[in-house]
Amino acid sequence: MAAKVASTANKVFQNHDDVHISFEDQQRINRFAKHNARMDDLKMELDVKKNELKCVEEALDEIELFDEDEDIPFLVGEVFLSHKLGKTQELLAETKDMVIKEIGSIEAKAKAIKVEMDELKAHLYQRFGSNISLENDD
């Protein structure tokens, strides 16, 4: 029984010593790395958009305290434009809807990339086992 365990263990070690990487495998590894970098970018972009959404929601809450006839500056591009309360609330609501749509778009892109990364990861781990590490060091 001990001989069988030893021979099985030797086969595992022999496989780890000689790993051939085909062109297709290298392409999969490169595609995985590219997707991994894109996921990091999407995570940062998502954090920025969520922060932007939080700021817009806070602004909506804050301007409720203003008088109806007061002019409120609203940033459009690089210029502040003054509007009455109702118009500013309308512009902020539009901005909030736009940011929510952008967040949804980013999350959809991330989900599609994650699906492909999972497929690549499964194939590469099946092919290379513990000789390859595809996990993030987060």
Side-chain angles (χ1 to χ4, degrees), residues 45-57:
E45 192 176 335
L46 189 61
D47 288 343
V48 168
K49 290 296 177 186
K50 285 183 177 180
N51 189 41
E52 186 178 337
L53 179 63
K54 180 182 168 191
C55 289
V56 169
E57 288 173 340

Side-chain angles (χ1 to χ4, degrees), residues 4-114:
K4 286 184 180 180
V5 172
S7 67
T8 303
N10 288 338
K11 286 182 185 177
V12 171
F13 289 112
Q14 289 172 354
N15 287 339
H16 288 284
D17 291 339
D18 186 26
V19 176
H20 173 72
I21 300 176
S22 68
F23 178 75
E24 292 81 18
D25 291 334
Q26 186 61 52
Q27 293 298 95
R28 286 184 183 104
I29 293 167
N30 292 345
R31 197 165 56 237
F32 182 87
K34 183 180 90 174
H35 287 327
N36 196 38
R38 181 71 178 126
M39 284 293 285
D40 290 343
D41 292 344
L42 288 174
K43 286 177 187 175
M44 289 185 346
E45 192 176 335
L46 189 61
D47 288 343
V48 168
K49 290 296 177 186
K50 285 183 177 180
N51 189 41
E52 186 178 337
L53 179 63
K54 180 182 168 191
C55 289
V56 169
E57 288 173 340
E58 288 175 359
L60 274 167
D61 291 341
E62 283 294 318
I63 65 169
E64 288 180 3
L65 303 174
F66 285 68
D67 291 333
E68 189 69 36
D69 58 345
E70 233 179 296
D71 281 343
I72 302 170
F74 184 79
L75 182 65
V76 178
E78 296 180 5
V79 178
F80 281 97
L81 301 176
S82 292
H83 295 287
K84 298 293 182 196
L85 178 65
K87 180 67 174 175
T88 304
Q89 286 175 324
E90 183 181 311
L91 290 171
L92 283 172
E94 289 174 12
T95 302
K96 179 180 176 182
D97 291 340
M98 186 178 66
V99 171
I100 289 172
K101 286 179 186 174
E102 290 172 354
I103 288 172
S105 173
I106 293 168
E107 288 174 341
K109 288 177 190 174
K111 185 177 181 181
I113 291 172
K114 177 87 168 99

